Amino acid sequence: MRRKRGQICEQRTMTEAFIRNKPGMASVKDMPLLQDGPPPGGFAPVRYARRIPSKGPSAVAIFLTTFGIFSWGMYQVGKGNKIRRAIKEEKYAARRAILPMLQAEEDERFVKEWRKYLEEEARIMKDVPGWKVGESVYNSGRWMPPATGELRPEVW
């Protein structure tokens, strides 16, 4: 449908005048004011004060619980220390008990190795005049066992 000049086509558009059911308004200024307002009875009061909820245990309860847990933990540490000390003492007692036997075995091994060492020294130095087998070349006056590396190459 074509519109001719001068004809007004009745058109239903969603204008402000149509929405507010006020036909024939010439300007927006003619529109009635619609303003939001408070609900009936007014708004609820605004909370602006600091309110800390009193939920949870009190400070005394927290302190006593912490103190109890700490005390129990220290008791457990003390028990563990006593057990560890007893085990350590048992180990040292066993070492003290077996030490003479180990020392005797080591002395026996040393004497065997020292005899081999002296035989080897006598064999090597037999052509050197004035050489005394087993005599120390140091003049300290103290007897010192040879370094264990010379007599115990299997340790290396």
Side-chain angles (χ1 to χ4, degrees), residues 110-124 131 133-135 146 150-151:
F110 176 77
V111 168
K112 286 179 185 176
E113 290 293 322
W114 186 248
R115 283 188 185 141
K116 285 183 192 175
Y117 174 76
L118 292 178
E119 290 171 4
E120 184 73 14
E121 182 182 356
R123 186 184 62 81
I124 293 171
W131 183 265
V133 176
E135 186 175 296
E150 293 177 15
L151 296 177

Side-chain angles (χ1 to χ4, degrees), residues 33-54:
L33 290 175
L34 289 178
Q35 184 174 357
D36 287 338
F43 290 107
V46 177
R47 285 180 45 184
Y48 61 89
R50 183 173 180 212
R51 293 183 188 165
I52 300 172
S54 60

